Amino acid sequence: MRKKIIAANWKMNMTSGEGVSFMEDLKLELKNFDGAEIVIIPSFTALPRLSEIISELPGITLGAQNMWHEPSGAFTGEVSAGMLREFFTRYVVLGHSERRIIFGETDELVNKKVKAAHAASLRPILCVGETLEERDADRHHEVLAKQLKGSLAGLDAEQMLDTVIAYEPVWAIGTGRTATPEQAQEAHAFIRKTLAEIFDPATAAKVRIQYGGSVKPDNAKELLHQPDIDGALVGGASLDPRSFAKIVQAAARK
Ligand code: PGA
């Protein structure tokens, strides 16, 4: 029912030229594949060239890593939703833990961005996840509920259906330490239950929830076959076309 969505979050890696050669290699690797929806999320500067390439590849869409919520104005260094739409960007990652931790983004700010993205017909990939300290204190449910309620405040059910949630435990990002499939499934089920409370059960059942945090070709299949895991947000392993293609293939329906 929920089509799997596998996204490559390149973070601050890959020039535009490197992105173009990645896409050439990925096309070769994915020849016989028609499974999941693929989203390539490069740096802002690579969006124009990748947009041209991706517009010709069915099943692959373009995403951005961040945006500012105002449509224009004196916000030096920021990029608006409208600017992203100019390159046919379909998705935008919001509330990534690197933005929350390094750049101090709060649920309130993320909520403004989520609303501005919808107003511009961009689909947010909203990231939530607990730190190691919070998990060790058994507080991950509390943290996830707070992030979801804060970041999704004021959205209607229709907008929720056009939103993807990415569960990314901070302790698993870039550390090589993945959540076990059981830990991830448990958190995803909790996220879906919380969405049912905020919206309604039918909406919650349709929302796609990605897992992110050290997803690699050798752990992707087990994670992606959990009942509430509908895709992956891949950082490190998405920089290599072969690894990324293997993760996409792991999402294939049996
Ligand atoms: P990682 O990053 O796959 O390198 O852990 C995931 C992410 O931050 O989206």
Side-chain angles (χ1 to χ4, degrees):
M1 183 176 80
R2 299 184 297 261
K3 187 168 188 176
K4 294 259 195 297
I5 174 166
I6 309 295
N9 174 14
W10 288 350
K11 309 193 179 187
M12 201 177 72
N13 296 293
M14 303 263 231
T15 60
S16 186
E18 287 163 347
V20 171
S21 19
F22 176 99
M23 290 309 298
E24 293 301 321
D25 293 342
L26 185 69
K27 267 193 282 184
L28 298 175
E29 296 287 339
L30 286 179
K31 245 186 190 141
N32 303 317
F33 182 74
D34 65 348
E37 177 178 0
I38 299 169
V39 189
I40 303 294
I41 310 177
S43 63
F44 292 137
T45 55
L47 287 173
R49 280 182 79 189
L50 288 187
S51 172
E52 284 167 26
I53 296 172
I54 287 175
S55 64
E56 286 168 11
L57 300 173
I60 305 189
T61 51
L62 193 61
Q65 298 178 14
N66 183 32
M67 54 169 251
W68 190 242
H69 57 279
E70 297 286 353
S72 61
F75 303 102
T76 302
E78 293 295 336
V79 166
S80 72
M83 290 167 182
L84 298 178
R85 290 293 291 156
E86 197 182 1
F87 299 107
F88 306 103
T89 305
R90 171 94 52 92
Y91 290 93
V92 60
V93 175
L94 295 175
H96 190 280
S97 61
E98 285 149 20
R99 302 281 335 161
R100 291 177 188 266
I101 294 165
I102 306 171
F103 301 98
E105 293 198 9
T106 60
D107 289 330
E108 200 186 355
L109 177 67
V110 174
N111 180 238
K112 286 185 183 154
K113 294 186 177 196
V114 167
K115 287 179 179 158
H118 280 298
S121 301
L122 269 174
R123 297 177 183 177
I125 296 179
L126 170 68
C127 302
V128 293
E130 78 285 357
T131 61
L132 184 58
E133 211 181 7
E134 289 160 345
R135 175 154 284 261
D136 285 346
D138 209 15
R139 286 184 52 222
H140 66 290
H141 284 184
E142 179 197 323
V143 171
L144 292 173
K146 183 173 168 291
Q147 290 176 339
L148 289 168
K149 286 179 185 154
S151 309
L152 297 170
L155 251 63
D156 60 30
E158 209 174 305
Q159 290 171 321
M160 189 59 231
L161 292 176
D162 275 336
T163 304
V164 174
I165 304 291
Y167 170 60
E168 297 207 312
V170 178
W171 47 274
I173 296 178
T175 57
R177 190 181 153 183
T178 328
T180 64
E182 294 73 28
Q183 281 174 323
Q185 166 56 29
E186 189 274 334
H188 281 231
F190 175 78
I191 289 170
R192 207 176 294 288
K193 180 171 145 277
T194 307
L195 294 178
E197 283 162 22
I198 305 175
F199 298 93
D200 58 84
T203 301
K206 289 186 198 143
V207 172
R208 292 182 295 176
I209 308 174
Q210 296 177 306
Y211 170 78
S214 298
V215 176
K216 304 271 181 291
D218 59 2
N219 61 25
K221 197 162 192 156
E222 230 191 317
L223 286 161
L224 289 166
H225 283 79
Q226 298 300 314
D228 285 296
I229 301 187
D230 309 311
L233 182 54
V234 189
S238 78
L239 297 172
D240 172 45
R242 194 170 272 189
S243 300
F244 185 64
K246 282 193 185 138
I247 295 169
V248 172
Q249 258 132 8
R253 270 164 267 150
K254 277 192 244 168

